[in-house]
Amino acid sequence: MTTHHEETTHQEDKQTAHADLSADQVKDYLQNHPQFFEHHAKLLAEITLPSPHGSGVISLAERQQLAQRDKIRVLESLMDQMISNAEENEATSAKVHKFCLNLLNQQSFSALQQLINQTLRTDFNVTQSLIRIWVKPSNSAITNDAVFTHISDEFNDWVISLKEPHCGSKPEAAGNFLDSNLQSFAFIPLYKHASDQHAFGILILGAEDAQHFKAGMGTHYLERIGELVAASLLNHLFTLNL
């Protein structure tokens, strides 16, 4: 026996289904008959909707205008961000190009290192940088340079395992490299050839800003800097014309 409550619930379910079906029918009809509002233009002013920006109601035409304005604002914001990113990338590219030209002009190993440290600090906002190399140079005059300071096997293995620059916090294997007050780091492996990624050294960058080098950041320019530094160092490591 069907109770009054069950009948009421059944009727409500039928009304809900009917309402959903009617809404779908209206939507399908309008999509399939785009000329509808051309033939019934008065409806654009007569149909009212809740305002998305406060109380009260507005016409369908006004609601469409607001929706378009909101889309335009979003697109303008995206465009501004794209322009800003493009300008920033252009400025960084110019700095990297200048860095490359200056590296080519260095005639001594010590002058080369000074240029690297100074450029990274002034042009790339790096607080401190450090280079460590574990291959033996052909020129005995530079074998006692600080860049050849012994590093642990653990750190050496960690660097060699890197497939791209490591950004973010300093790994335990890095020990006491760089000042303790630095908050973010970039570890850039140095390769003889891009196709042979077996590191012969490492370029370490540190910044006081915790967000300067953060995990997951793009490393395109860091890789380019690493390639330039590696090539310039190799020119001095394996030549007697210093």
Side-chain angles (χ1 to χ4, degrees):
M1 180 176 179
T2 304
T3 65
H4 175 70
H5 174 71
E6 290 175 337
E7 291 179 354
T8 302
T9 302
H10 181 64
Q11 291 176 353
E12 290 176 348
D13 291 341
K14 289 178 63 179
Q15 291 174 352
T16 301
H18 179 70
D20 291 340
L21 179 60
S22 297
D24 289 338
Q25 287 176 333
V26 171
K27 180 182 67 174
D28 292 340
Y29 180 83
L30 291 176
Q31 287 179 336
N32 294 324
H33 299 81
Q35 74 280 6
F36 175 81
F37 284 109
E38 293 181 11
H39 299 158
H40 304 82
K42 289 176 60 178
L43 286 176
L44 294 175
E46 293 175 354
I47 297 176
T48 58
L49 302 170
S51 173
H53 300 306
S55 59
V57 295
I58 57 176
S59 69
L60 179 59
E62 290 174 320
R63 181 64 181 85
Q64 289 176 314
Q65 291 177 348
L66 289 176
Q68 291 299 321
R69 289 171 185 167
D70 289 341
K71 290 181 180 179
I72 290 172
R73 279 194 289 268
V74 171
L75 291 174
E76 287 177 340
S77 178
L78 291 174
M79 184 64 71
D80 289 342
Q81 186 61 51
M82 291 176 60
I83 293 173
S84 177
N85 291 341
E87 291 175 343
E88 183 178 348
N89 288 336
E90 178 64 24
T92 303
S93 295
K95 291 178 182 179
V96 172
H97 178 67
K98 177 183 175 183
F99 186 33
C100 177
L101 296 178
N102 289 335
L103 288 172
L104 294 173
N105 292 327
Q106 302 310 305
Q107 301 301 314
S108 71
F109 194 59
S110 60
L112 175 64
Q113 293 184 71
Q114 291 176 9
L115 170 71
I116 293 171
N117 292 331
Q118 181 180 354
T119 302
L120 292 174
R121 185 173 60 254
T122 58
D123 289 351
F124 297 97
N125 299 320
V126 173
T127 306
Q128 186 180 3
S129 63
L130 183 72
I131 296 173
R132 286 293 178 265
I133 299 172
W134 44 82
V135 296
K136 184 177 181 180
S138 62
N139 184 1
S140 60
I142 62 174
T143 54
N144 293 323
D145 193 279
V147 298
F148 301 104
T149 300
H150 178 72
I151 63 172
S152 68
D153 291 339
E154 181 184 7
F155 182 64
N156 187 303
D157 293 340
W158 179 78
V159 173
I160 292 176
S161 70
L162 293 177
K163 301 302 181 184
E164 60 183 17
H166 169 85
C167 298
S169 59
K170 182 169 62 174
E172 293 185 6
N176 296 321
F177 288 136
L178 304 186
D179 293 340
S180 58
N181 64 317
L182 300 179
Q183 300 298 312
S184 63
F185 302 85
F187 292 80
I188 309 174
L190 303 177
Y191 307 117
K192 290 183 179 180
H193 305 287
S195 58
D196 180 16
Q197 294 192 340
H198 189 83
F200 70 86
I202 184 80
L203 171 62
I204 308 173
L205 312 180
E208 295 177 350
D209 179 6
Q211 298 300 312
H212 193 67
F213 299 114
K214 54 186 178 181
M217 67 179 290
T219 59
H220 174 77
Y221 286 112
L222 292 178
E223 292 174 14
R224 298 292 84 79
I225 289 174
E227 291 172 358
L228 292 174
V229 169
S232 62
L233 289 172
L234 288 170
N235 287 337
H236 290 268
L237 292 177
F238 300 107
T239 178
L240 297 179
N241 298 322
L242 300 177

